[in-house]
Amino acid sequence: MNLAQRLSFTHGLIALLAVAVTLGVMMGGARYLFWNEIAESQQKQLAGFALAARESFFAHEDVATLNFMRMAAKDETVVFAAFVDGGARNRLALPSAFQDADLTPGPRLLSDGRRAEVLASKVEGGGQPIGTVALAYDTDKLEARVRAQVGKWVGLGAAAGACAILLALVFSVLVSQSLVRPLRRIRAGTDQVRAGKLDKLVEVDRSDEIGALARDFNSMVVRLKELEAVKRDFVAGVTHDFGTPLHAIRNALEFLEEGKAGPLTDKQSEYLLMISNNTLQLTAFINNLLTTAKIEAAKAEPFFESLDSLALAREVVALYQPQAQKLGIGLRLANEEP
């Protein structure tokens, strides 16, 4: 999974998590609000029932109370409405099947198997008790009504959440592309540097951390280009300063070896051979230096060849043998092949 896919996946996951949390809070908050609204409505309905009972008491007739009970019975969530006067001599209930129902406030299981919540309130008038009014509500129907209302809100929230997730995914794709595109340019620039091409800089017009990274990369490329020029000049100077005297030494050695300056003794020939070999080694060093510079500039391919380590060791012993003799040190090659 590349960076763009990771960013899109992460943004989508965050949006999904945010929508899920929002729906959860919305569901819990909606249930709380709807139940509070139902409780307030029930308290208002019970207060209206008490007011009707008080009017009936002062009018000395039960018309207002019965009218309110009939109106309350039309509500599908109301199981029954009941009124008991102060002396418990007169008792009214609708439906009449609940004439003897328990009016104690609280939840209970009714005789017909329904779960109900009973609300009751004492009624007073003229400083004396009038009676008690009670309303019983079907708990299952209230729960169904709350679930229906919550379902509507959650459905709207889910639709809005789906739109939000879609927009978040589109936005995340655009953002990830805007972040990844300059990074790809920087990566392409590193490939150019690896190939030894230091003449191209990364074009990233940003003021954030990616822009700072691109500017640092370009600064590095410019510095490498400067160092490459310094190294190239150094190698050219070294090869010129070493090559010219080595060429002169080689010409002088050839002149002496050909005997044009007079005959040579065996010891002189031996030393001339040593000088010639070391001159060849310095020439090989200069050539290797040039080859290394070409390899680092990606203009030459390295190659491998076999090396006679014993012959190299003999040359080193022969090179330092005169110095060892002056210091009285015996220098010899150990473990030499017979």
Side-chain angles (χ1 to χ4, degrees):
M1 183 180 293
N2 56 33
L3 181 59
Q5 292 174 341
R6 288 182 180 178
L7 288 174
S8 300
F9 177 78
T10 302
H11 291 168
L13 187 61
I14 292 174
L16 182 62
L17 181 61
V19 170
V21 172
T22 302
L23 288 178
V25 173
M26 182 183 294
M27 182 179 296
R31 286 185 60 85
Y32 175 79
L33 292 176
F34 286 136
W35 277 114
N36 277 352
E37 183 179 346
I38 288 174
E40 291 177 0
S41 177
Q42 290 173 348
Q43 290 297 329
K44 290 180 180 179
Q45 194 172 22
L46 188 64
F49 193 5
L51 180 61
R54 192 175 295 109
E55 291 177 358
S56 296
F57 174 77
F58 289 114
H60 302 287
E61 59 182 4
D62 297 333
V63 177
T65 302
L66 289 174
N67 287 338
F68 184 88
M69 294 172 64
R70 292 189 184 98
M71 182 182 64
K74 295 179 180 179
D75 187 349
E76 64 177 3
T77 62
V78 176
V79 179
F80 66 85
F83 169 76
V84 179
D85 62 11
R89 295 183 302 272
N90 187 17
R91 185 182 181 103
L92 298 176
L94 283 179
S96 58
F98 296 96
Q99 187 72 27
D100 298 327
D102 184 5
L103 303 184
T104 304
R108 62 176 47 83
L109 185 64
L110 301 178
S111 58
D112 57 1
R114 286 182 293 177
R115 294 186 304 120
E117 180 77 19
V118 177
L119 300 181
S121 175
K122 293 185 179 299
V123 183
E124 294 183 355
Q128 58 180 338
I130 296 175
T132 301
V133 293
L135 292 171
Y137 293 91
D138 192 321
T139 306
D140 294 331
K141 289 184 178 180
L142 290 175
E143 179 66 29
R145 179 175 294 182
V146 170
R147 282 200 302 267
Q149 294 295 330
V150 171
K152 292 179 181 179
W153 283 99
V154 171
L156 293 174
C163 294
I165 291 175
L166 181 60
L167 292 176
L169 289 176
V170 173
F171 178 75
S172 66
V173 170
L174 296 177
V175 171
S176 61
Q177 290 297 326
S178 66
L179 293 176
V180 171
R181 192 177 297 112
L183 292 177
R184 289 174 178 171
R185 293 177 183 173
I186 296 174
R187 181 180 179 184
T190 58
D191 294 337
Q192 295 289 329
V193 172
R194 190 182 298 110
K197 300 177 181 179
L198 303 177
D199 54 344
K200 291 184 179 181
L201 300 179
V202 177
E203 297 181 1
V204 177
D205 186 15
R206 298 177 68 101
S207 59
D208 54 6
E209 289 81 357
I210 297 179
L213 176 62
R215 289 189 290 273
D216 292 342
F217 178 83
N218 290 334
S219 299
M220 180 193 69
V221 173
V222 172
R223 182 58 178 166
L224 287 176
K225 191 174 182 179
E226 293 175 353
L227 293 176
E228 179 68 22
V230 172
K231 184 180 66 174
R232 186 167 55 250
D233 294 340
F234 173 76
V235 171
V238 169
T239 53
H240 178 269
D241 294 341
F242 276 86
T244 300
L246 283 175
H247 182 68
I249 294 172
R250 286 293 304 167
N251 290 334
L253 287 174
E254 291 178 358
F255 182 80
L256 292 174
E257 288 174 349
E258 292 176 356
K260 294 180 180 180
L264 299 175
T265 63
D266 294 339
K267 198 65 175 178
Q268 289 174 337
S269 298
E270 180 181 351
Y271 281 114
L272 284 177
L273 179 60
M274 184 184 304
I275 296 173
S276 177
N277 290 337
N278 284 278
T279 303
L280 291 175
Q281 289 183 358
L282 286 175
T283 303
F285 169 76
I286 296 300
N287 293 332
N288 290 335
L289 185 62
L290 289 172
T291 302
T292 302
K294 292 180 180 180
I295 291 174
E296 292 180 352
K299 295 181 179 179
E301 294 293 334
F303 63 91
F304 300 93
E305 61 180 359
S306 59
L307 175 66
D308 188 351
S309 58
L310 184 58
L312 180 61
R314 288 171 181 166
E315 291 180 3
V316 173
V317 171
L319 177 63
Y320 292 99
Q321 190 71 45
Q323 300 179 16
Q325 290 177 355
K326 290 181 181 180
L327 298 175
I329 298 174
L331 183 62
R332 64 185 181 84
L333 180 62
N335 298 327
E336 187 174 357
E337 292 181 354

